[in-house]
Amino acid sequence: MSGIMERITGLLDLGGPVVALLACLSILVLAVTLYKLWQFRAARVGAHTRLQEALDAWDAGDRGEARRRLDESRSHLAPVVEMALDARGDRARRDRIEAEAAMSFSRLEGSFRILDNIAQIAPLLGLFGTVLGMIDAFRALQAAGAAVDPSILAGGIWVALLTTAAGLAVAMPTSLILSWFESRIARERDFADLLLARAEAPVEPSRAASAGTGDLVYA
């Protein structure tokens, strides 16, 4: 463990304040990622078995079973679906339900901007550190005068490029993490639209059966 800490300390010393700042950003990314994973788990994102069972019962005309399954759900969409079941045909309440659903998704999307900003600024910070390192390297080369040692320039360039590598090392996983979170939210929005549509227009079993294998008939 001490060896790892010594290597990290050495990298920070070589890269200077830019690498130290990138290290802080990487810690922030880790903290935000862990928080979002906890938040998604608590909101039951992607886990809506009870809601599906509730709407299946609603389609079958078993209102009591639908309510019971809905009460058992811990999904963040459960209150929205319950409001939708109570507001069939009421356009004013439908607008309220859509607003409530939008607010729920807004809470889940919180901190996305932080990850997006870090993914964009980390490579720029790395490039900034590289430019500063190159300036120092050429200044050292100039100070050497006629006694030019190529190792001076090579060593300075190596240290300068370290910050670019550090910036990319922070930006690339951050971008992937953000893309994964956004894809989960996109699927969640599609599922929410389906839930609200089913709550608003349940299938009547008797009419669906009389329709045969054709299009489903909605109430």
Side-chain angles (χ1 to χ4, degrees), residues 28 31 39 46 56 58 61 93 97 112 116 135 138 151 176 178 197:
L28 179 58
Q39 186 185 33
D56 288 342
W58 185 260
R93 294 188 67 182
I97 292 167
F112 280 11
D116 184 48
I135 291 174
F138 282 110
S151 63
L176 290 175
L178 178 60

Side-chain angles (χ1 to χ4, degrees), residues 1 10 18 36 46 68 88 92 94 151 157 172 189:
M1 186 67 179
V18 173
K36 297 307 294 182
R68 187 176 70 83
R88 290 184 58 197
R94 175 74 178 187
S151 63
I157 293 175
M172 289 187 293
R189 285 185 186 277

Side-chain angles (χ1 to χ4, degrees), residues 58-69:
W58 185 260
D59 281 342
D62 191 345
R63 303 298 189 249
E65 178 66 12
R67 296 290 182 177
R68 187 176 70 83
R69 292 293 184 181

Side-chain angles (χ1 to χ4, degrees), residues 205-217:
S206 59
R207 294 177 64 187
S210 64
T213 59
D215 296 336
L216 294 179
V217 179

